[in-house]
Amino acid sequence: RVFEGKIYVYPSHDILAAPGKGRPGWFCMEDYHVFSSENLTEWKDHGVIVSQKDVAWVDSNSYSLWAPDCVFKNGKYYFYFPAGAKEKGFRIGVALADKPYGPFQPETKPIEGVRGIDPCVLIDKDGIPYLYYSLGKIYVARLKDNMLELDSKPQVIENLPTKGLVE
């Protein structure tokens, strides 16, 4: 994403799975960092912006913080992230900040009506925000202007091959 004249990257990242951390032989992700650059050569790590231990609804033993996204609207930065929930399964949460590098404050609950991973938010030219996400299929739903709630029922837009992707 490009914010304030810089490139910002909001990646997921794996850590070495120690005993009791995550599923052996699987992804092991406990937090998110954000990186920025003015020239794509020199990068600044702004540090941890969201950690699974700081999000009330996340299973702090899941180590399942997968691919996120961040957008700017209404004078705020909205960081969308999937995580393994205490109630089992993947949910998508939102953390807000005044700057693209944070500090981000996670909402106390995930987005109601959304179960999935890999969120991506598109704000169309009319300013209408849409949340895309996946879990065996690709879904899209319109977001309310508050960027925290759905304004439409999620719709399937494409079937994905699930063999080997969803167990």
Side-chain angles (χ1 to χ4, degrees), residues 1-9 34-46:
R1 297 286 186 176
V2 177
F3 301 125
E4 300 178 349
K6 294 181 183 179
I7 304 267
Y8 284 85
V9 176
V34 62
F35 300 86
S36 68
S37 177
E38 294 180 12
N39 58 21
L40 297 177
T41 302
E42 299 169 58
W43 291 88
K44 179 177 181 176
D45 179 353
H46 295 274

mmCIF file of all heavy atoms in Angstrom, residues 1-9 34-46:
data_model
loop_
_atom_site.group_PDB
_atom_site.id
_atom_site.type_symbol
_atom_site.label_atom_id
_atom_site.label_comp_id
_atom_site.label_asym_id
_atom_site.label_seq_id
_atom_site.Cartn_x
_atom_site.Cartn_y
_atom_site.Cartn_z
ATOM 1 N N ARG A 1 0.845 -1.183 0.000
ATOM 2 C CA ARG A 1 0.000 0.000 0.000
ATOM 3 C C ARG A 1 0.885 1.238 0.000
ATOM 4 O O ARG A 1 1.991 1.219 0.532
ATOM 5 C CB ARG A 1 -0.900 0.025 1.226
ATOM 6 C CG ARG A 1 -1.898 -1.107 1.327
ATOM 7 C CD ARG A 1 -3.023 -0.939 0.361
ATOM 8 N NE ARG A 1 -4.052 -1.963 0.568
ATOM 9 C CZ ARG A 1 -5.175 -1.984 -0.093
ATOM 10 N NH1 ARG A 1 -5.426 -1.052 -0.992
ATOM 11 N NH2 ARG A 1 -6.059 -2.927 0.119
ATOM 12 N N VAL A 2 0.377 2.312 -0.568
ATOM 13 C CA VAL A 2 1.084 3.584 -0.554
ATOM 14 C C VAL A 2 0.302 4.537 0.336
ATOM 15 O O VAL A 2 -0.879 4.805 0.082
ATOM 16 C CB VAL A 2 1.222 4.185 -1.972
ATOM 17 C CG1 VAL A 2 1.896 5.541 -1.901
ATOM 18 C CG2 VAL A 2 1.995 3.243 -2.885
ATOM 19 N N PHE A 3 0.953 4.989 1.388
ATOM 20 C CA PHE A 3 0.374 5.952 2.323
ATOM 21 C C PHE A 3 1.418 7.026 2.599
ATOM 22 O O PHE A 3 2.600 6.714 2.779
ATOM 23 C CB PHE A 3 0.000 5.301 3.665
ATOM 24 C CG PHE A 3 -1.000 4.178 3.572
ATOM 25 C CD1 PHE A 3 -0.698 2.930 4.102
ATOM 26 C CD2 PHE A 3 -2.238 4.359 2.990
ATOM 27 C CE1 PHE A 3 -1.616 1.890 4.061
ATOM 28 C CE2 PHE A 3 -3.159 3.322 2.940
ATOM 29 C CZ PHE A 3 -2.843 2.087 3.472
ATOM 30 N N GLU A 4 0.991 8.261 2.669
ATOM 31 C CA GLU A 4 1.863 9.380 3.043
ATOM 32 C C GLU A 4 3.177 9.389 2.251
ATOM 33 O O GLU A 4 4.241 9.674 2.782
ATOM 34 C CB GLU A 4 2.143 9.350 4.552
ATOM 35 C CG GLU A 4 0.880 9.449 5.397
ATOM 36 C CD GLU A 4 1.135 9.374 6.891
ATOM 37 O OE1 GLU A 4 2.257 9.040 7.322
ATOM 38 O OE2 GLU A 4 0.180 9.659 7.637
ATOM 39 N N GLY A 5 3.103 9.034 0.961
ATOM 40 C CA GLY A 5 4.272 9.075 0.094
ATOM 41 C C GLY A 5 5.273 7.946 0.276
ATOM 42 O O GLY A 5 6.367 8.009 -0.274
ATOM 43 N N LYS A 6 4.920 6.919 1.040
ATOM 44 C CA LYS A 6 5.806 5.773 1.249
ATOM 45 C C LYS A 6 5.062 4.481 0.903
ATOM 46 O O LYS A 6 3.837 4.423 0.939
ATOM 47 C CB LYS A 6 6.253 5.678 2.714
ATOM 48 C CG LYS A 6 7.130 6.802 3.181
ATOM 49 C CD LYS A 6 7.528 6.586 4.632
ATOM 50 C CE LYS A 6 8.348 7.743 5.155
ATOM 51 N NZ LYS A 6 8.706 7.550 6.565
ATOM 52 N N ILE A 7 5.849 3.438 0.621
ATOM 53 C CA ILE A 7 5.303 2.099 0.418
ATOM 54 C C ILE A 7 5.266 1.419 1.783
ATOM 55 O O ILE A 7 6.263 1.429 2.520
ATOM 56 C CB ILE A 7 6.200 1.261 -0.518
ATOM 57 C CG1 ILE A 7 6.396 1.955 -1.831
ATOM 58 C CG2 ILE A 7 5.666 -0.155 -0.644
ATOM 59 C CD1 ILE A 7 5.465 1.616 -2.927
ATOM 60 N N TYR A 8 4.125 0.827 2.115
ATOM 61 C CA TYR A 8 3.983 0.075 3.362
ATOM 62 C C TYR A 8 3.640 -1.371 3.020
ATOM 63 O O TYR A 8 2.773 -1.630 2.186
ATOM 64 C CB TYR A 8 2.888 0.668 4.251
ATOM 65 C CG TYR A 8 3.332 1.934 4.934
ATOM 66 C CD1 TYR A 8 3.231 3.163 4.297
ATOM 67 C CD2 TYR A 8 3.890 1.900 6.209
ATOM 68 C CE1 TYR A 8 3.661 4.336 4.915
ATOM 69 C CE2 TYR A 8 4.320 3.070 6.827
ATOM 70 C CZ TYR A 8 4.199 4.276 6.172
ATOM 71 O OH TYR A 8 4.635 5.424 6.784
ATOM 72 N N VAL A 9 4.340 -2.294 3.663
ATOM 73 C CA VAL A 9 4.090 -3.723 3.498
ATOM 74 C C VAL A 9 3.654 -4.273 4.842
ATOM 75 O O VAL A 9 4.337 -4.068 5.860
ATOM 76 C CB VAL A 9 5.344 -4.461 2.972
ATOM 77 C CG1 VAL A 9 5.094 -5.955 2.888
ATOM 78 C CG2 VAL A 9 5.762 -3.905 1.618
ATOM 79 N N VAL A 34 4.990 -4.111 10.421
ATOM 80 C CA VAL A 34 4.799 -3.313 9.219
ATOM 81 C C VAL A 34 6.154 -2.727 8.835
ATOM 82 O O VAL A 34 6.953 -2.369 9.710
ATOM 83 C CB VAL A 34 3.731 -2.203 9.402
ATOM 84 C CG1 VAL A 34 4.120 -1.212 10.466
ATOM 85 C CG2 VAL A 34 3.478 -1.473 8.083
ATOM 86 N N PHE A 35 6.399 -2.702 7.537
ATOM 87 C CA PHE A 35 7.651 -2.186 6.988
ATOM 88 C C PHE A 35 7.327 -1.040 6.039
ATOM 89 O O PHE A 35 6.312 -1.083 5.337
ATOM 90 C CB PHE A 35 8.392 -3.280 6.214
ATOM 91 C CG PHE A 35 8.745 -4.471 7.052
ATOM 92 C CD1 PHE A 35 7.844 -5.505 7.230
ATOM 93 C CD2 PHE A 35 9.983 -4.556 7.665
ATOM 94 C CE1 PHE A 35 8.164 -6.616 8.005
ATOM 95 C CE2 PHE A 35 10.313 -5.662 8.444
ATOM 96 C CZ PHE A 35 9.396 -6.689 8.621
ATOM 97 N N SER A 36 8.191 -0.031 5.992
ATOM 98 C CA SER A 36 7.982 1.073 5.054
ATOM 99 C C SER A 36 9.274 1.393 4.322
ATOM 100 O O SER A 36 10.376 1.118 4.804
ATOM 101 C CB SER A 36 7.477 2.320 5.786
ATOM 102 O OG SER A 36 8.475 2.848 6.631
ATOM 103 N N SER A 37 9.105 1.983 3.126
ATOM 104 C CA SER A 37 10.253 2.383 2.315
ATOM 105 C C SER A 37 9.865 3.570 1.442
ATOM 106 O O SER A 37 8.729 3.663 0.972
ATOM 107 C CB SER A 37 10.704 1.223 1.421
ATOM 108 O OG SER A 37 11.765 1.629 0.579
ATOM 109 N N GLU A 38 10.840 4.446 1.227
ATOM 110 C CA GLU A 38 10.659 5.557 0.290
ATOM 111 C C GLU A 38 11.252 5.231 -1.074
ATOM 112 O O GLU A 38 10.951 5.896 -2.060
ATOM 113 C CB GLU A 38 11.304 6.829 0.846
ATOM 114 C CG GLU A 38 10.619 7.335 2.091
ATOM 115 C CD GLU A 38 11.269 8.599 2.643
ATOM 116 O OE1 GLU A 38 12.100 9.214 1.954
ATOM 117 O OE2 GLU A 38 10.926 8.963 3.780
ATOM 118 N N ASN A 39 12.113 4.181 -1.121
ATOM 119 C CA ASN A 39 12.845 3.909 -2.357
ATOM 120 C C ASN A 39 12.886 2.434 -2.758
ATOM 121 O O ASN A 39 13.565 2.076 -3.713
ATOM 122 C CB ASN A 39 14.281 4.433 -2.242
ATOM 123 C CG ASN A 39 15.026 3.815 -1.075
ATOM 124 O OD1 ASN A 39 14.669 2.749 -0.565
ATOM 125 N ND2 ASN A 39 16.079 4.489 -0.630
ATOM 126 N N LEU A 40 12.219 1.574 -2.043
ATOM 127 C CA LEU A 40 12.168 0.124 -2.293
ATOM 128 C C LEU A 40 13.525 -0.566 -2.114
ATOM 129 O O LEU A 40 13.676 -1.729 -2.444
ATOM 130 C CB LEU A 40 11.595 -0.198 -3.670
ATOM 131 C CG LEU A 40 10.151 0.227 -3.888
ATOM 132 C CD1 LEU A 40 9.712 -0.076 -5.313
ATOM 133 C CD2 LEU A 40 9.224 -0.449 -2.895
ATOM 134 N N THR A 41 14.502 0.143 -1.588
ATOM 135 C CA THR A 41 15.812 -0.429 -1.312
ATOM 136 C C THR A 41 16.080 -0.453 0.189
ATOM 137 O O THR A 41 16.519 -1.460 0.732
ATOM 138 C CB THR A 41 16.929 0.370 -2.018
ATOM 139 O OG1 THR A 41 16.663 0.362 -3.419
ATOM 140 C CG2 THR A 41 18.292 -0.231 -1.761
ATOM 141 N N GLU A 42 15.796 0.658 0.836
ATOM 142 C CA GLU A 42 15.977 0.758 2.278
ATOM 143 C C GLU A 42 14.604 0.635 2.944
ATOM 144 O O GLU A 42 13.670 1.346 2.580
ATOM 145 C CB GLU A 42 16.620 2.096 2.625
ATOM 146 C CG GLU A 42 17.994 2.271 1.996
ATOM 147 C CD GLU A 42 18.486 3.690 2.136
ATOM 148 O OE1 GLU A 42 18.587 4.152 3.289
ATOM 149 O OE2 GLU A 42 18.746 4.315 1.099
ATOM 150 N N TRP A 43 14.526 -0.257 3.940
ATOM 151 C CA TRP A 43 13.248 -0.541 4.604
ATOM 152 C C TRP A 43 13.360 -0.303 6.101
ATOM 153 O O TRP A 43 14.394 -0.585 6.705
ATOM 154 C CB TRP A 43 12.826 -1.992 4.352
ATOM 155 C CG TRP A 43 12.439 -2.215 2.929
ATOM 156 C CD1 TRP A 43 13.276 -2.553 1.899
ATOM 157 C CD2 TRP A 43 11.138 -2.079 2.385
ATOM 158 N NE1 TRP A 43 12.558 -2.639 0.741
ATOM 159 C CE2 TRP A 43 11.240 -2.357 1.010
ATOM 160 C CE3 TRP A 43 9.898 -1.749 2.925
ATOM 161 C CZ2 TRP A 43 10.140 -2.320 0.161
ATOM 162 C CZ3 TRP A 43 8.795 -1.721 2.076
ATOM 163 C CH2 TRP A 43 8.924 -1.997 0.709
ATOM 164 N N LYS A 44 12.284 0.176 6.667
ATOM 165 C CA LYS A 44 12.220 0.355 8.113
ATOM 166 C C LYS A 44 11.182 -0.605 8.674
ATOM 167 O O LYS A 44 10.044 -0.646 8.215
ATOM 168 C CB LYS A 44 11.820 1.785 8.468
ATOM 169 C CG LYS A 44 11.710 1.995 9.975
ATOM 170 C CD LYS A 44 11.390 3.418 10.341
ATOM 171 C CE LYS A 44 11.335 3.528 11.870
ATOM 172 N NZ LYS A 44 11.119 4.895 12.293
ATOM 173 N N ASP A 45 11.583 -1.389 9.673
ATOM 174 C CA ASP A 45 10.663 -2.265 10.401
ATOM 175 C C ASP A 45 10.103 -1.448 11.560
ATOM 176 O O ASP A 45 10.846 -1.048 12.453
ATOM 177 C CB ASP A 45 11.411 -3.495 10.916
ATOM 178 C CG ASP A 45 10.530 -4.466 11.703
ATOM 179 O OD1 ASP A 45 9.353 -4.152 11.991
ATOM 180 O OD2 ASP A 45 11.047 -5.552 12.039
ATOM 181 N N HIS A 46 8.812 -1.188 11.530
ATOM 182 C CA HIS A 46 8.169 -0.400 12.582
ATOM 183 C C HIS A 46 7.797 -1.259 13.792
ATOM 184 O O HIS A 46 7.197 -0.755 14.736
ATOM 185 C CB HIS A 46 6.920 0.300 12.030
ATOM 186 C CG HIS A 46 7.247 1.312 10.980
ATOM 187 N ND1 HIS A 46 7.578 2.614 11.268
ATOM 188 C CD2 HIS A 46 7.323 1.194 9.630
ATOM 189 C CE1 HIS A 46 7.818 3.264 10.144
ATOM 190 N NE2 HIS A 46 7.679 2.425 9.142
#
